[in-house]
Amino acid sequence: MNLFRLAGDMTHLVSVVVLLLKIHTIKSCAGISLKTQELYALVFAARYLDLFVHFVSLYNTVMKLVFLASSFSIVWYMRKHKIVRRTYDREHDTFRHHFIVLPCLVLALLINERFTFREVMWAFSIYLEAVAILPQLVLLQRTRNIDNLTGQYVFFLGAYRVLYILNWIYRYFTEPHFVHWISWIAGIVQTMLYADFFYYYIISLSSQSIFQTD
């Protein structure tokens, strides 16, 4: 554990808290892509298959449980909650997310660290996480009207990935034989997808022309 890893985990956690705050308090999921949330739920389900068979630390276990519970609860809110589901923008959230799941699975079968079920599922979750934000970014681009909480949610997600890249750089220079090409390449791809959003987010902080207050 280092400062970059801890900051990345906390930033990721903040993004989830921001989203749950929007959904639970305001009773609205406007501007949030259900497709992205379903992909994240699948990411965590595939990645944390070792939850009850491989103990690393209490911190690690708690974080896994938090992300699993939060991702599935968000999907439930958007699909089943009688008030929240009415605010879901089905008209614009039309990205065909199912078509990116199979390529990620095929890639995981071909490129993995070890050809075992858990390792293939871990690689699958890494590849899928890299592109899971695509439906959300497409939705924001289509609507062009983003409230503060939605903008902050996506910003913190992107910041979490940037901090994780810094964590990898730090570990590469401080830990012998620390090489994880799968995570590195997927993480860089994921961060690049946020580049356009970051640009407009920073511009909006000064102009307030794109983002509106709740």
Side-chain angles (χ1 to χ4, degrees):
M1 178 67 69
N2 59 70
L3 184 59
F4 295 118
R5 165 70 185 276
L6 181 61
D9 285 347
M10 293 302 104
T11 305
H12 194 184
L13 186 60
V14 167
S15 73
V16 173
V17 170
V18 167
L19 182 53
L20 284 173
L21 179 67
K22 173 186 174 73
I23 292 175
H24 183 71
T25 305
I26 306 176
K27 296 294 188 293
S28 171
C29 64
I32 301 300
S33 169
L34 174 61
K35 309 294 179 63
T36 283
Q37 298 308 315
E38 289 175 339
L39 290 177
Y40 277 135
L42 183 56
V43 164
F44 295 130
R47 184 173 303 171
Y48 300 149
L49 290 173
D50 65 345
L51 180 61
F52 299 109
V53 297
H54 181 61
F55 180 80
V56 177
S57 66
L58 180 60
Y59 171 84
N60 184 271
T61 300
V62 169
M63 293 299 284
K64 288 178 179 180
L65 288 170
V66 168
F67 288 124
L68 275 170
S70 61
S71 61
F72 280 96
S73 65
I74 290 168
V75 171
W76 180 87
Y77 262 109
M78 295 182 70
R79 279 189 169 276
K80 300 296 184 181
H81 193 280
K82 62 181 181 180
I83 298 176
V84 175
R85 68 181 183 183
R86 295 174 187 169
T87 64
Y88 170 51
D89 189 358
R90 290 180 176 82
E91 180 181 352
H92 292 101
D93 190 24
T94 57
F95 189 98
R96 297 185 178 182
H97 63 320
H98 301 98
F99 291 125
I100 64 178
V101 174
L102 183 58
C104 289
L105 180 58
V106 172
L107 188 59
L109 288 168
L110 296 175
I111 305 175
N112 50 73
E113 294 190 351
R114 287 192 304 274
F115 194 74
T116 64
F117 178 73
R118 273 172 39 192
E119 286 298 323
V120 168
M121 287 296 99
W122 176 84
F124 166 67
S125 76
I126 295 297
Y127 297 138
L128 187 60
E129 185 183 14
V131 294
I133 195 63
L134 277 174
Q136 180 66 64
L137 296 178
V138 170
L139 175 60
L140 297 185
Q141 190 174 49
R142 286 176 177 173
T143 58
R144 308 297 294 177
N145 190 22
I146 312 164
D147 62 68
N148 280 342
L149 288 178
T150 302
Q152 290 167 9
Y153 163 67
V154 179
F155 174 81
F156 282 121
L157 271 181
Y160 135 71
R161 181 45 62 189
V162 171
L163 287 166
Y164 253 62
I165 290 178
L166 294 176
N167 160 62
W168 295 331
I169 294 173
Y170 174 83
R171 294 184 65 183
Y172 178 78
F173 287 106
T174 58
E175 298 180 18
H177 312 298
F178 180 74
V179 178
H180 292 285
W181 289 109
I182 292 176
S183 297
W184 293 355
I185 295 174
I188 292 171
V189 170
Q190 185 178 359
T191 305
M192 291 173 62
L193 291 176
Y194 284 95
D196 185 64
F197 172 83
F198 276 138
Y199 172 78
Y200 286 106
Y201 184 85
I202 293 171
I203 294 297
S204 73
L205 291 180
S206 56
S207 67
Q208 295 296 317
S209 61
I210 299 177
F211 291 77
Q212 64 177 21
T213 55
D214 290 317

